[in-house]
Amino acid sequence: MATIRLGTRGSRLALAQAGWVADRLREVSPSTDIEVVVIRTSGDVIQDVALGPEHGQSFFTKEIEDALGEGRVDVAVHSCKDLSTLLPPGLTLAALPAREDARDVLVSRAHRLTDLPPGATIGTSSVRRERFLNRARPDLVVRDQRGNVPTRIQALDDGQFDAVVLAAAGLHRLGMGSRVTEYLEVDVMVPAAGQGALALEVRVDDARTCGLVARLDHAPTRAAVEAERSCLRRLGAGCQAPVGALGRVDGGDVVLEAAIPSPGGVARTRISGGVGAPDVVGTLAAEDLLCQLGLGSLREADWAGLPPGRPGAYP
């Protein structure tokens, strides 16, 4: 029996996602043995401080991609929002399965964002979420919060925070959707590019695995996510840049909404174009945002964080 090894992080959410992928692969190829291989990433190791540019990039994907490139695993299972827009040479995204809810959510004892009292503390590890929160409620105190989803929820329950902001998809996949007190709509907080989607990465020269994994690809999700990732590439946005981008397929078009909360305000755009050219839609959206900001690239802005590295390079 042929074996396919799935590389994943070891968090409860990552294992749930890898388990879902394993089940889908068994459905499309019952004769294939699917093995889940846990790989510890730098993002899992560095837990005592906020992840900043001084710690490098690709915190949750580099070690898994290394294992894939070296042949220690056959498929890398990523949360798509963690994946750099610049893939290492020899690797490709064979599938973007159907997306979960892409929105950010509030989990709070006060129910909604508008219900939180002045000075309330909100936990998040995302610069993007922090910047959008500062725009929506500048009276709140945003504190860095690391850890997996259950740990962050427990910190709220223990009274360390008044609210936390998380991805809806993670809570849903863990069966914790009942903890959501408010879904944050795009006018309040634009999700990260790729949020809610899984990315299944394989070696380009592994035709058998690529063909099998490609059967899990969901065309509308791929079109939307490719538009989002193209936007990030043109922006020159690194993994910590405060950029929100959310695409959707509407008939024969891809519609992309993107926003950047900068020190001078929030630049926003909405671009649509043919579903067959999502990269064009993403590029046009990025150019509109950069025009509003007066920049040629986010690499020119200190507030945008570390720019992405070249393919195969991890500072």
Side-chain angles (χ1 to χ4, degrees):
M1 177 180 290
T3 299
I4 290 181
R5 298 158 297 173
L6 307 183
T8 179
R9 295 173 59 203
S11 71
R12 182 176 157 192
L13 175 58
L15 291 173
Q17 293 174 166
W20 182 90
V21 172
D23 289 343
R24 302 293 82 74
L25 289 174
R26 292 184 184 108
E27 289 174 359
V28 299
S29 182
S31 62
T32 301
D33 182 39
I34 309 297
E35 177 186 348
V36 175
V37 179
V38 174
I39 298 169
R40 200 174 189 205
T41 68
S42 57
D44 300 313
V45 173
I46 305 171
Q47 287 287 329
D48 56 339
V49 295
L51 293 173
E54 68 275 13
H55 298 114
Q57 299 186 81
S58 303
F59 304 114
F60 300 109
T61 60
K62 177 187 181 300
E63 288 79 7
I64 301 174
E65 288 183 317
D66 287 347
L68 178 62
E70 294 165 6
R72 290 183 279 124
V73 298
D74 306 298
V75 182
V77 181
H78 305 289
S79 291
C80 189
K81 69 175 182 177
D82 294 335
L83 191 62
S84 172
T85 58
L86 302 172
L87 300 184
L91 304 184
T92 188
L93 295 184
L96 292 163
R99 191 180 211 166
E100 246 285 5
D101 192 323
R103 291 175 292 180
D104 293 292
V105 298
L106 187 76
V107 181
S108 168
R109 293 185 295 276
H111 192 63
R112 299 176 63 84
L113 185 62
T114 55
D115 298 328
L116 289 168
T121 59
I122 298 187
T124 178
S125 62
S126 163
V127 175
R128 172 189 59 85
R129 289 170 179 160
E130 178 184 0
R131 299 280 174 84
F132 278 118
L133 286 169
N134 286 338
R135 291 290 171 182
R137 288 287 309 270
D139 58 305
L140 300 178
V141 177
V142 182
R143 289 170 43 201
D144 185 72
Q145 186 193 33
R146 297 289 314 284
N148 57 38
V149 172
T151 298
R152 296 185 190 194
I153 295 290
Q154 189 60 54
L156 170 69
D157 293 341
D158 291 343
Q160 298 177 39
F161 299 90
D162 297 302
V164 295
V165 179
L166 299 164
L171 290 168
H172 291 176
R173 287 174 176 141
L174 289 172
M176 301 176 69
S178 62
R179 295 303 307 264
V180 176
T181 55
E182 182 182 9
Y183 288 87
L184 300 174
E185 300 300 340
V186 176
D187 60 335
V188 175
M189 184 175 293
V190 185
Q195 187 161 300
L198 299 180
L200 308 185
E201 194 177 19
V202 303
R203 292 183 297 278
V204 172
D205 61 3
D206 187 353
R208 178 185 177 277
T209 300
C210 190
L212 177 59
V213 172
R215 296 173 66 179
L216 304 186
D217 195 55
H218 184 246
T221 296
R222 178 174 284 275
V225 170
E226 285 186 351
E228 296 161 16
R229 288 170 58 79
S230 176
C231 180
L232 259 62
R233 275 193 297 271
R234 174 60 187 89
L235 288 171
C239 59
Q240 292 182 301
V243 178
L246 180 62
R248 61 182 174 85
V249 173
D250 184 6
D253 286 339
V254 177
V255 181
L256 179 65
E257 296 183 64
I260 302 175
S262 74
V266 180
R268 289 182 179 270
T269 190
R270 184 177 184 272
I271 300 290
S272 62
V275 72
D279 56 327
V280 174
V281 175
T283 298
L284 290 174
E287 291 177 348
D288 187 9
L289 292 171
L290 291 171
C291 182
Q292 294 178 47
L293 294 169
L295 298 171
S297 165
L298 288 188
R299 292 180 175 89
E300 301 170 10
D302 292 341
W303 50 263
L306 191 70
R310 60 180 173 80
Y314 301 89

